[in-house]
Amino acid sequence: MNIAQFHQAVEHVWQQIEEKIDDEGLSIDTEIQGAVCTLTFDDKSQIIINKQEAMLELWLASKLGGIHFKNVDGEWVTDEGNTFWQHLEEAFIRHGETVSF
């Protein structure tokens, strides 16, 4: 994966998240600035998803802690093989919302 493909893949993830939040009518503020996507919940807690271009990784920070993902065959996964979407759903639950990506 080259740098352009990396940015395109991450931006696709961000778009999917925004669309799901809108489709579900969730009260979550989504803000994208540069390499960072911030999801802010009603209680002011946040999930931060950011691009780590130097390592071609997607990072997720939430009440679950910080988790790093690499793109393997088109899927964002941890070294243990867990998907970004699995972790994001768990993070949403910890932040008080249930959603299925």
Side-chain angles (χ1 to χ4, degrees):
M1 169 178 289
N2 65 35
I3 298 294
Q5 291 168 325
F6 167 75
H7 286 289
Q8 187 175 40
V10 173
E11 289 165 16
H12 180 69
V13 166
W14 290 349
Q15 180 182 13
Q16 287 179 280
I17 293 168
E18 284 184 304
E19 287 174 1
K20 188 65 164 182
I21 288 170
D22 288 345
D23 290 348
E24 297 288 324
L26 301 175
S27 180
I28 300 169
D29 182 47
T30 304
E31 182 179 357
I32 297 172
Q33 287 190 314
V36 180
C37 173
T38 304
L39 307 176
T40 304
F41 294 77
D42 284 340
D43 67 357
K44 304 301 180 209
S45 65
Q46 295 181 324
I47 293 175
I48 309 292
I49 306 161
N50 66 316
K51 301 176 187 181
Q52 291 298 317
E53 182 179 289
M55 294 174 274
L56 299 179
E57 290 184 348
L58 180 64
W59 290 8
L60 171 66
S62 71
K63 290 182 178 181
L64 296 174
I67 306 165
H68 302 187
F69 302 87
K70 294 180 182 177
N71 194 295
V72 178
D73 298 325
E75 184 72 46
W76 293 101
V77 296
T78 63
D79 288 338
E80 298 78 27
N82 299 317
T83 72
F84 170 81
W85 299 111
Q86 291 168 323
H87 282 286
L88 187 61
E89 287 177 6
E90 290 176 28
F92 266 69
I93 290 168
R94 282 280 186 90
H95 288 266
E97 294 286 352
T98 302
V99 66
S100 178
F101 288 95

